[in-house]
Amino acid sequence: KFNASIRRTDATLANVNNANSFLATQDGVMKNADKILNRISELATLAQDVTKGTSDLALYQDEVSILQDQLGLMLSEEFNGIPLFGAGTDNDMTVVTSHDGAQTVGITQADFSTLETTVDAYDVSTYTGAVAAVTAIQDDIQTLADMRAVNGAQQSRLTFAADMLSINKVNLEASVSRIQD
């Protein structure tokens, strides 16, 4: 029975580490999304310069459009065929964190649907649009920071679960060794 528990613990530990890799990959994409939002914020602020003409604003808008497209592509990223990001409320996944299946931790596919909608609306081709974009971008940066905080907390929980599995495995192996001795 102990040997079977050790094998289940190994398999559970592998599953927990895979889930943690999923979250780390998701966070990496969100980190790049943050860079994109920061660049768009910079462009929107530059577009508020009264010395810029319509051709300058059009160039800023061209770059914003390209960054919007890139963000949209990033949100379709997957990890082993599983979407990193979901939409709506059905984004929860359950990770078993004990060899007997009694303990679980929930992780989520971050919901980018509202963020994607607001990002697509950024328009810095006019002064008024640039002012509105800066306000919207600040809100979106905060939303993204909130998502990254949840992701980090979930990674921490899985790390603690992996640590406990490792400790349990060592104790099970020690028990088997004592019994055999």
Side-chain angles (χ1 to χ4, degrees), residues 83-171:
L84 290 172
F85 304 101
T89 57
D90 191 25
N91 303 333
D92 297 328
M93 298 184 290
T94 302
V95 180
V96 176
T97 58
S98 62
H99 73 88
D100 60 0
Q103 298 174 8
T104 61
V105 170
I107 65 171
T108 58
Q109 296 166 298
D111 181 4
F112 261 80
S113 59
T114 55
L115 184 67
E116 189 175 16
T117 302
T118 59
V119 168
D120 286 344
Y122 299 156
D123 180 7
V124 299
S125 63
T126 65
Y127 175 84
T128 306
V131 170
V134 168
T135 303
I137 293 166
Q138 289 171 344
D139 292 341
D140 289 343
I141 288 172
Q142 182 59 52
T143 299
L144 187 59
D146 293 345
M147 285 187 236
R148 289 191 73 196
V150 168
N151 178 286
Q154 291 172 350
Q155 285 186 54
S156 292
R157 282 195 72 193
L158 288 178
T159 299
F160 293 133
D163 291 347
M164 287 304 302
L165 285 165
S166 295
I167 290 168
N168 289 341
K169 179 183 174 194
V170 168
N171 290 333

